[in-house]
Amino acid sequence: MTPAKQPFISMRGVRYEYNPGTPQAQMALDGIDLDIYQGEFVAVIGANGSGKSTLARHCNALLLPQAGQVLVAGHDTRDPASLWEIRRRAGMVFQNPDNQIVATSVEEDAAFGPENLGVPPAEIRVRVREALAMVGLGELGKEEPHHLSGGQKQRLAIAGAMAMRPDGLILDEATSMLDPVGRREILATIQRLNAEDGVTIVLITHHMEEAAMAGRVLVMSSGRIVLDGPPAAVFADRERLLQIGLDVPLVARVADELRRRGLPVPPAVISKEELVKALCP
Ligand SMILES: Nc1ncnc2c1ncn2[C@@H]1O[C@H](COP(=O)(O)OP(=O)(O)O)[C@@H](O)[C@H]1O
Ligand SMILES: [Mg+2]
């Protein structure tokens, strides 16, 4: 694990343009300065095309900055010698559960990462057992992955990353193809990994309710980070969010409305629990 005060991810002046120098040129990251520290739970929100996935792909060297610098656990993503160490430390989970399955059993699938790292077989078995237990798939090791539900497949993707003993997980809309049950499974899993195992979480989401669960919310617009703070503060800036095409969590909207009607609801209420406490102290 990274020492507590070294950032897990550090970006300075990062710029990235797709198809530079062509008529299709598209600026996707337009000067990103960002530190994410070990143990944080960070949500990233922003309208479609605001640069969230491009940001995610810079967190494990799937894309390299055209200007500026990205460090992952202190390793420069432009240093080819650090590539595998960076991929190990920053696990990625993508949107489509079916695209991430690489093997014909749950166990073998979770073993894929450590196998590529050259971890000895006995150690792989220990890690796979541990990682599957962490995501609640301990009983399904022999199962065929295509028999799993969407939520189970995404938890398998998380287990595959955890078997590499990462510092953090970056989830790019990893819940967006799941039903509500699958979404809840993933959220509970990453909350537990963050709280109990100190795994840093970067959760890219278009569900404001999911972002409200994070300790910190980053808001992207046109390739820049335009808001960065605790969820209560970020969602209090409703006008700014509406301007860039985002909404606030439903609970926050209900709280606003109740306050307008004269009920004693404090500002910055963003969770169901806070709202219930405000109304029924
Ligand atoms: N492979 C690509 N080729 C060309 N342009 C791209 C590609 N991927 C993304 N873009 C463009 O870059 C910008 C940022 O996209 P992206 O990072 O996918 O945003 P988000 O994940 O927030 O929807 C958008 O304008 C998008 O159209
Ligand atoms: Mg995206």
Side-chain angles (χ1 to χ4, degrees):
M1 287 255 173
T2 311
K5 283 297 158 206
Q6 180 183 24
F8 166 50
I9 288 165
S10 179
M11 299 191 182
R12 287 292 173 277
V14 170
R15 297 168 68 85
Y16 189 87
E17 189 180 28
Y18 290 96
N19 308 312
T22 73
Q24 293 83 39
Q26 179 66 55
M27 187 58 78
L29 296 180
D30 191 9
I32 301 284
D33 293 299
L34 172 66
D35 285 312
I36 294 177
Y37 285 92
Q38 189 65 46
E40 281 196 281
F41 186 146
V42 180
V44 182
I45 58 176
N48 273 340
S50 58
K52 304 181 298 296
S53 293
T54 308
L55 184 81
R57 285 164 191 276
H58 276 76
C59 293
N60 80 341
L62 282 169
L63 292 176
L64 301 177
Q66 290 157 348
Q69 187 181 47
V70 179
L71 301 180
V72 178
H75 300 277
D76 192 319
T77 58
R78 279 194 291 202
D79 174 10
S82 298
L83 184 63
W84 292 106
E85 182 61 7
I86 286 168
R87 297 268 163 93
R88 177 185 83 73
R89 282 172 175 262
M92 294 279 288
V93 183
F94 296 99
Q95 185 170 36
N96 190 333
D98 293 306
N99 290 351
Q100 297 175 82
I101 307 266
V102 293
T104 52
S105 83
V106 164
E107 264 171 8
E108 284 167 32
D109 197 87
F112 186 75
E115 267 164 11
N116 279 345
L117 294 174
V119 176
E123 165 75 9
I124 291 180
R125 279 194 292 279
V126 172
R127 288 193 188 193
V128 164
R129 203 177 313 127
E130 223 174 67
L132 290 177
M134 277 175 160
V135 302
L137 294 178
E139 309 297 306
L140 298 179
K142 304 289 179 207
E143 191 62 67
E144 291 176 37
H146 70 266
H147 288 157
L148 302 181
S149 69
Q152 287 172 326
K153 284 176 187 162
Q154 288 298 62
R155 283 188 283 146
L156 176 53
I158 293 173
M162 289 308 299
M164 299 211 272
R165 304 260 158 97
D167 293 355
L169 298 175
I170 297 117
L171 301 104
D172 189 359
E173 310 246 8
T175 65
S176 63
M177 292 179 73
L178 304 180
D179 60 18
V181 174
R183 277 179 57 200
R184 273 199 298 275
E185 289 170 11
I186 299 307
L187 295 169
T189 303
I190 60 177
Q191 276 184 312
R192 200 172 51 242
L193 289 173
N194 178 252
E196 292 173 18
D197 302 295
V199 178
T200 311
I201 301 290
V202 180
L203 177 70
I204 296 171
T205 182
H206 60 254
H207 292 287
M208 298 304 124
E209 281 71 20
E210 293 181 5
M213 297 165 35
R216 175 181 175 194
V217 179
L218 304 177
V219 182
M220 292 194 70
S221 178
S222 303
R224 297 196 180 147
I225 294 171
V226 294
L227 290 172
D228 177 355
V234 166
F235 289 122
D237 201 346
R238 194 160 164 195
E239 220 157 281
R240 186 75 195 275
L241 292 173
L242 287 175
Q243 233 173 41
I244 60 177
L246 296 175
D247 209 343
V248 298
L250 177 62
V251 170
R253 272 182 283 152
V254 172
D256 273 355
E257 194 55 39
L258 293 173
R259 204 176 303 115
R260 253 197 301 280
R261 308 259 179 118
L263 283 165
V265 179
V269 164
I270 51 166
S271 79
K272 186 171 68 189
E273 290 72 21
E274 289 167 334
L275 181 58
V276 170
K277 213 163 102 192
L279 294 176
C280 318

